[in-house]
Amino acid sequence: TKKTGLLQERGTMLENIKDIAAAKRQFEREERLKNITQELKRLVPGVRGRILDLCQEADPRFRVAVSVALGGSIDGVVSDTANGARQCIQHLKAKMLESLTFLPLDNLRVHPLDKRVHDLLRINPRLRLAINCVRFEPQLARAFEFLLSDVVIADNLDDARRFFYDELQPKKLQCRIVTLQGETISRDGNIAISAGVSQTRFEFAELNAKKTALEAIDRQL
């Protein structure tokens, strides 16, 4: 019956929300940053929004890796121009709001990855460029190239190690590598072992939509 289906859907949503609601402080910060960004979009022409809100992972299995690869830049605000970014910074200071990082599309320098790295990736299906694992509007490409052009996503840490130490280092090539589990190898070879990434910033951003859907279901029951 319809009621049974709604109850099942409600149960699933409650589980998802319970998992994420454990990090209430993070959720409150998410709401605050979202509101600040919306205000900037209204006030300053050419403000596109936060990286977090401007992209989606191409496949859910890349979610943790993309979130780790973007790091703190996931809250970076994309603007069309450096002048627009300066206007935003002035507004934040005047209102004593939380400071943000800005990515002006007319002022970002992208350093392309060595062609030899591309060639090595073509013959290894367990590795892929991070920028190919996210979807975004074509006019925003420069921002994502700036953040992800030197990042490779590997299936696991063994694949990442093998690629970095056996294939890149002998050729004096460098890139950042992130695994599907969130472990990283930096450009200089330092490995950071993740303790397990349970929720990513993408889930936090979706929480409001889940809560709204849950309220809609409750009204029907």
Side-chain angles (χ1 to χ4, degrees):
T1 66
K2 181 181 178 181
K3 184 174 181 179
T4 302
L6 287 171
L7 286 169
Q8 288 175 344
E9 188 177 350
R10 184 180 187 277
T12 301
M13 284 187 175
L14 279 172
E15 281 302 310
N16 290 334
I17 290 172
K18 185 176 70 176
D19 288 344
I20 298 169
K24 185 182 177 185
R25 187 177 301 174
Q26 177 65 57
F27 173 59
E28 289 171 351
R29 180 174 182 270
E30 174 63 36
E31 280 294 285
R32 192 166 64 250
L33 293 179
K34 185 177 179 181
N35 291 335
I36 292 172
T37 307
Q38 290 299 328
E39 183 177 335
L40 293 175
K41 287 173 73 174
R42 287 195 305 271
L43 295 172
V44 182
V47 173
R48 303 299 187 104
R50 286 184 304 161
I51 288 292
L52 175 65
D53 302 315
L54 295 174
C55 70
Q56 287 183 305
E57 74 282 2
D59 185 308
R61 73 192 183 107
F62 298 135
R63 177 166 280 197
V64 168
V66 169
S67 189
V68 170
L70 289 171
S73 297
I74 203 166
D75 287 317
V77 176
V78 178
S79 63
D80 285 345
T81 65
N83 184 53
R86 283 191 288 272
Q87 290 180 53
C88 290
I89 292 168
Q90 288 168 0
H91 176 77
L92 295 178
K93 286 181 177 177
K95 296 288 186 179
M96 293 194 296
L97 295 171
E98 191 164 344
S99 62
L100 295 171
T101 299
F102 290 88
L103 300 164
L105 293 172
D106 69 342
N107 200 36
L108 295 176
R109 292 185 179 181
V110 177
H111 301 288
L113 197 60
D114 192 297
K115 181 183 178 297
R116 290 171 294 170
V117 179
H118 288 272
D119 292 340
L120 290 170
L121 290 174
R122 285 193 194 98
I123 58 174
N124 197 327
R126 298 173 67 82
L127 299 137
R128 74 287 295 164
L129 290 170
I131 199 163
N132 293 339
C133 299
V134 288
R135 294 196 299 265
F136 48 83
E137 294 296 323
Q139 61 267 34
L140 303 174
R142 192 166 189 81
F144 287 95
E145 288 166 359
F146 177 76
L147 296 173
L148 296 175
S149 65
D150 71 333
V151 182
V152 168
I153 292 178
D155 280 2
N156 56 54
L157 191 56
D158 286 340
D159 291 326
R161 282 185 173 127
R162 194 157 39 244
F163 185 63
F164 190 91
Y165 297 112
D166 296 349
E167 300 192 51
L168 296 184
Q169 275 200 336
K171 297 179 176 64
K172 293 183 167 49
L173 297 171
Q174 287 184 322
C175 71
R176 289 190 292 147
I177 307 177
V178 182
T179 73
L180 296 180
Q181 296 74 36
E183 299 115 342
T184 60
I185 301 181
S186 67
R187 291 176 66 91
D188 57 7
N190 291 326
I191 298 176
I193 305 295
S194 171
V197 182
S198 55
Q199 285 96 32
T200 71
R201 291 298 306 285
F202 293 105
E203 274 93 10
F204 284 115
E206 290 171 358
L207 182 54
N208 254 354
K210 289 177 180 175
K211 287 172 72 176
T212 301
L214 183 64
E215 289 163 3
I217 289 174
D218 284 343
R219 286 194 296 271
Q220 295 180 63
L221 290 173

